[in-house]
Amino acid sequence: MLQDLIVPLILVGLAELGDKTQLAILVLSTKTKKYLALLLGVMAAFSITTGLAIILGNFISTVVPMEYVSISAGLLFILFGLLMLVSKEDEETNVNPELNNPFLTGFGLILVAEMGDKTQIATAVFATQYDPYLVFIGVILALFIMTMIAIYIGQFIMDRIRTSIISKAAGILFILIGASFFI
């Protein structure tokens, strides 16, 4: 029973290290001071994608071709990257205008990016082998820990590097992550 929780927690946590969604969260956290709203949006998206993985298992991949999901996620990352590169900074608050609502931004980006992701597929597999409720708790706990780390690192970076440099680097990173969906 304990392994039903521990195995998904450890394996999903390790799989998320350096994953595109964690990089996206890190970048988003440099664009807002509303960290709680970002955390809640990201965790809402993770809860939905994890729940779908457990409930539907591989059903998603048979109904929606994964290439469409990948193309949508890639385009979304590229769009966010382009917006970051062309937006003007609000020097008074050091926050980009496109993150006026970090909850919705984090939610939308992570929801699309996680569909068909390796951790979602792993979650579906875990749910066939272990107690689905404990798998859900383990996966969400792993994603929560990794998200908190990414937000903290983003906040640390934002406090030490000029916002204009962060915006350019973030825009380029988002475009590269988006392009990786097409490879």
Side-chain angles (χ1 to χ4, degrees), residues 31-136:
K31 300 293 168 196
T32 185
K33 292 196 181 283
K34 299 175 183 175
Y35 304 112
L36 181 60
L38 177 62
L39 174 67
L40 293 174
V42 166
M43 291 311 299
F46 278 139
S47 295
I48 290 171
T49 59
T50 302
L52 285 174
I54 289 173
I55 293 168
L56 303 175
N58 290 328
F59 182 72
I60 292 172
S61 63
T62 61
V63 173
V64 178
M66 292 317 297
E67 53 268 6
Y68 292 151
V69 174
S70 290
I71 289 169
S72 298
L75 290 174
L76 188 60
F77 270 92
I78 291 170
L79 176 65
F80 274 102
L82 291 172
L83 287 173
M84 286 180 191
L85 287 175
V86 300
S87 70
K88 299 292 179 206
E89 294 293 322
D90 181 351
E91 292 300 328
E92 225 172 272
T93 62
N94 286 334
V95 176
N96 273 353
E98 68 264 22
L99 280 188
N100 284 338
N101 193 333
F103 178 90
L104 289 178
T105 303
F107 177 81
L109 187 62
I110 298 307
L111 185 69
V112 172
E114 274 296 295
M115 289 295 185
D117 188 66
K118 65 182 178 284
T119 53
Q120 190 185 35
I121 293 167
T123 299
V125 172
F126 290 142
T128 65
Q129 298 174 1
Y130 302 115
D131 180 327
Y133 296 109
L134 293 176
V135 169
F136 181 83

